[in-house]
Amino acid sequence: MSHIKIQLKPRQVEQLQEVCQSFNNKPGELINVLHKAQSIFGYLPAEVQEVVAKELNLSVAKVYGVVTFYSFFTMQPKGIHPISICLGTACYVRGAEKVLDEFKRLLKVNVGETTPDGKFSISCLRCVGACGLAPVVTIGEKVYGRVSPDGVKDILKEFE
Amino acid sequence: MDDLKKLRNTLLEKMKFRENNQNAQVQVQVKVAMATCGIASGAKEVMDFMAEEFDKRNIEAVVTQTGCMGYCYAEPTIEVKLPNNEPVIFGWVDLKKADRIIEKYIRNNELVEGIIPLNFASIDDNLNDETTERKKQIRIALRNCGVINPENIDDYIGRDGYQALGRCLTELSPDVVIDQVKKSGLRGRGGGGFPTGLKWEITRKSVAKPKYVVCNADEGDPGAFMDRSILEGDPHSVIEAMAIAGYAIGAEFGVVYIRAEYPLAIERLKIAIGQARVLGLLGRNIFGTDFCFDIELRYGAGAFVCGEETALIHSMEGNRGEPTVKPPFPSVSGYLGLPTNVNNVETFANIPPIITKGAEWFASIGSEKSKGTKVFALAGQINNVGLIEVPMGTTLRDVIYEIGGGIRDSREFKAVQTGGPSGGCLTKKHLDTPIDYDNLIASGSMMGSGGMIVMDEADCMVAIAKFYLEFTVEESCGKCSPCRIGNKRLFEILEKITKGNGTLEDLEHLRTLGNVIKDTSLCGLGQTSPNPVLSTLDNFFEEYYEHVVDKKCRAGVCKSLMKYIIQEDNCVGCMACARNCPVNAITGEKKLPHLINQHICIKCGACMEKCKFNAIYTN
Ligand SMILES: Cc1cc2nc3c(=O)[nH]c(=O)nc-3n(C[C@H](O)[C@H](O)[C@H](O)COP(=O)(O)O)c2cc1C
């Protein structure tokens, strides 16, 4: 599965078990459990999936199948400041691709990758529904609207 | 029954209290549009600033938040109501502007620039009135958006909220409720346009129990934000309507399936559900009757196909969101194999007014076969990007030029894309076609959920088709091969064309393959995914032809087809371009005209930027 091997600490396993219990260990709540787990760990490595599978009495394959089906779930750790560039239609026709290129150029990483210092990662998403502000970029929880390629530098400066 | 009376009285009292408050008209009232777009543009700062300054400057005023007012192009927007004055909406409000509004408008009643004219009729206006007709828009689904504080149930109740539910539970039998919805002519706003009353009736007639009501808030169509705005601006209208649906079909349990990309909508829904429970509008024995109903949330996780109702139900059950063949329809066998009524957010938002104002009233709006209004998210190359609600049957011309304020930078209108990845393009020749379900399908597009992306001469239609196909390829769940493999091939052909390697034969292939995918795919995703290609082929064949035969992209979007060329007459041989070319593609002697080697050129445009003599142009 994931090429990054991690060892969950006993405390983390407990935390996961608590999450599952809060949903009564119901298999039908798998997606809600994964949302919670990802908000705690930042991503869903194989080890986390194994614990969830055991707790909800599901096969690991089933959990893996669900994790990989939904683009919201990721098995790669994201940067401290995850950058998402909206490539929805409204953003696309307003030049989102050029904004994406500028992020890639300045950070020297590709979509789906994290900078070596772990600070930034770039991903694309489809429409946050703020089309009035296209092109839109989100960094963490913050939404930036009407972003131009020239403005990318200034946005990144905020995180120095 | 005693309980019911008590509840009604408290609700009535609450409403009266509000009305008195409004009639008193002593205070300045400021509403700040705090939907996602507003907040991202700084509405929160404006709201805090104004509240603080009113305190400091001793102005008696109430500042409240509200949902989307629809003027996304002018965010942040605020509405100011001075005592004994009509409310005024200001756009582009930053802190400086807020300060001027306080000093000039609020203190001295002097006008400040940036006023947005009110361009819609409200639900209580007389529809036969001339001014109403001139306004082009009628807000039914959006009746409370930008008016009430979405986090305060009293506001909703003050605008006749939960009256429809009360009326259904105490005065109307489920069959009468269904009959009203049928008579109203309401059709599903999630894209398909299936008659809502009929769907309720089928679910009611299904014998298995328990039954479920599901609200589809997945809104995966990129470029659409109607459902988000309704949930952020008026969550109770959806909750009330789901309870009404529950009563009509005989369900006690409702689920809102909402995409995780909408955190603010989720939060406001949660608050609203909590408040409704406290007042006994959700839970056991609602309005003192024996009707019980409650609602839970389920989250999507970023998969477009989960908007398709069977896929959505699988996702709700915690599975991969893969669609299954219909029939059986969810109305017969849905969530956990039980009868499930799935409706879209906007469909639900129309229900309470249908009950309170009557089916005939609703049916009097719109066109012959499409009743009521439709909310559109107007975006792209248009001046007034925003949320609009127009009667069915409004023409595209009215939407683009009257409401939308025309194309940006006075450029030429080229096309509008409706229906998202399942839809197609409408062009100049469709400008006067009344927009409704059937006309859009006849024009090779579809209503979809209501995204409307406007394009101008600077957009390449082949690239747009490629954009949608890339989306479909990524979002295809992979279950059936026509969709999984066919769309990939379509995408590859389009890529070949935009790279300048296409042939006339490829255009033929696009058409045949597109039609095969439409005919053989399992679910609505694949059955409609070739539409963006087929409709652009129909309407913009000359652009495809140019890409393939002339190797030219008239919009200048397809980079591979673009050539940077040095115009000898203007070139003075300063060498600035050659020095700045990152791949050394430019050769030439000093003081003599230079030449770009097209085989080496990577089309970065650095030379054109650096040339002081306008000697470099693109074809
Ligand atoms: C690929 C695909 C995506 C869909 N996405 C949505 C969506 O995001 N929201 C929605 O309400 N309906 C969506 N639908 C339509 C639903 O399947 C279903 O028809 C609708 O939720 C029914 O509600 P309505 O009758 O109120 O429109 C989608 C359909 C397909 C085929």
Side-chain angles (χ1 to χ4, degrees), chain A residues 16-118:
Chain A
L16 268 175
Q17 285 168 336
E18 279 163 24
V19 169
C20 295
Q21 271 155 25
S22 73
F23 291 102
N24 301 323
N25 293 51
K26 274 203 242 156
E29 299 279 4
L30 174 60
I31 292 174
N32 280 341
V33 168
L34 293 174
H35 269 297
K36 256 287 167 37
Q38 183 159 300
S39 75
I40 294 170
F41 293 89
Y43 69 118
L44 297 169
E47 293 74 7
V48 167
Q49 296 179 35
E50 280 159 18
V51 176
V52 170
K54 189 151 168 260
E55 289 302 308
L56 300 187
N57 200 15
L58 293 166
S59 71
V60 181
K62 154 101 194 192
V63 176
Y64 178 69
V66 169
V67 168
T68 50
F69 184 84
Y70 295 98
S71 64
F72 206 83
F73 298 133
T74 168
M75 291 178 60
Q76 303 289 331
K78 289 199 173 170
I80 303 167
H81 307 294
I83 301 170
S84 299
I85 289 104
C86 179
L87 287 186
T89 322
C91 290
Y92 174 79
V93 298
R94 288 259 178 116
E97 265 190 322
K98 290 194 184 117
V99 173
L100 171 62
D101 287 344
E102 187 65 10
F103 272 109
K104 289 202 293 203
R105 195 178 70 85
L106 289 177
L107 296 174
K108 299 191 181 67
V109 289
N110 272 320
V111 176
E113 293 175 0
T114 306
T115 51
D117 60 2

Side-chain angles (χ1 to χ4, degrees), chain B residues 180-235:
Chain B
Q180 285 289 304
V181 177
K182 275 170 96 176
K183 278 205 182 113
S184 75
L186 177 67
R187 293 170 67 176
R189 302 295 193 239
F194 192 82
T196 306
L198 186 60
K199 193 186 277 184
W200 288 18
E201 187 174 58
I202 298 170
T203 323
R204 174 165 183 81
K205 284 191 178 144
S206 293
V207 276
K209 276 192 176 145
K211 297 176 186 177
Y212 296 94
V213 174
V214 172
C215 173
N216 187 344
D218 196 46
E219 197 164 57
D221 173 358
F225 50 93
M226 305 78 49
D227 296 349
R228 170 179 69 72
S229 301
I230 292 174
L231 291 170
E232 285 178 1
D234 192 18

Side-chain angles (χ1 to χ4, degrees), chain B residues 254-515:
Chain B
V255 178
V256 182
Y257 183 91
I258 182 164
R259 60 200 302 244
E261 286 90 338
Y262 285 176
L264 185 64
I266 291 173
E267 193 190 314
R268 293 207 171 137
L269 253 181
K270 278 187 182 159
I271 293 172
I273 291 172
Q275 289 174 342
R277 281 184 189 146
V278 170
L279 290 188
L281 297 165
L282 281 180
R284 305 212 64 77
N285 302 99
I286 298 171
F287 277 97
T289 63
D290 52 16
F291 176 63
C292 310
F293 192 78
D294 212 339
I295 295 177
E296 257 186 32
L297 301 188
R298 285 290 153 86
Y299 307 113
F304 173 67
V305 71
C306 286
E308 197 282 332
E309 52 194 8
T310 60
L312 180 141
I313 286 166
H314 295 304
S315 181
M316 274 171 54
E317 292 165 347
N319 299 319
R320 288 163 69 96
E322 286 168 359
T324 36
V325 183
K326 295 188 276 190
F329 287 91
S331 299
V332 176
S333 170
Y335 184 52
L336 307 174
L338 294 158
T340 305
N341 189 87
V342 184
N343 276 128
N344 164 264
V345 172
E346 189 186 330
T347 312
F348 277 125
N350 277 302
I351 297 287
I354 288 176
I355 303 291
T356 47
K357 300 187 77 81
E360 290 76 23
W361 166 81
F362 190 83
S364 74
I365 305 163
S367 68
E368 197 197 331
K369 284 192 180 151
S370 308
K371 298 298 181 193
T373 56
K374 178 77 193 85
V375 182
F376 289 104
L378 202 53
Q381 321 287 13
I382 189 150
N383 279 317
N384 303 344
V385 168
L387 201 65
I388 64 165
E389 180 168 355
V390 292
M392 293 278 187
T394 303
T395 63
L396 206 52
R397 187 183 300 282
D398 276 348
V399 167
I400 292 174
Y401 292 99
E402 296 282 323
I403 303 170
I407 310 296
R408 271 157 44 109
D409 307 325
S410 319
R411 282 197 293 225
E412 181 117 358
F413 166 74
K414 186 172 199 173
V416 49
Q417 214 278 351
T418 65
S422 320
C425 286
L426 301 173
T427 63
K428 274 185 203 152
K429 69 171 184 247
H430 301 114
L431 273 174
D432 294 306
T433 309
I435 305 169
D436 64 17
Y437 291 100
D438 311 292
N439 280 342
L440 284 185
I441 289 184
S443 314
S445 183
M446 63 181 265
M447 182 74 81
S449 51
M452 250 195 199
I453 313 263
V454 180
M455 298 168 198
D456 67 20
E457 57 208 86
D459 290 305
C460 166
M461 301 320 282
V462 184
I464 292 287
K466 191 182 89 171
F467 167 82
Y468 278 114
L469 259 292
E470 188 179 1
F471 178 89
T472 310
V473 168
E474 230 168 77
E475 296 295 340
S476 168
C477 78
K479 184 170 172 170
C480 73
S481 24
C483 178
R484 181 185 68 242
I485 302 170
N487 281 313
K488 178 97 182 149
R489 294 291 97 84
L490 273 187
F491 172 72
E492 284 164 0
I493 299 175
L494 287 170
E495 190 159 55
K496 190 173 154 202
I497 296 173
T498 55
K499 286 242 157 78
N501 302 323
T503 61
L504 281 174
E505 226 183 356
D506 286 327
L507 301 187
E508 281 302 305
H509 283 158
L510 281 179
R511 230 188 265 276
T512 17
L513 182 55
N515 284 320

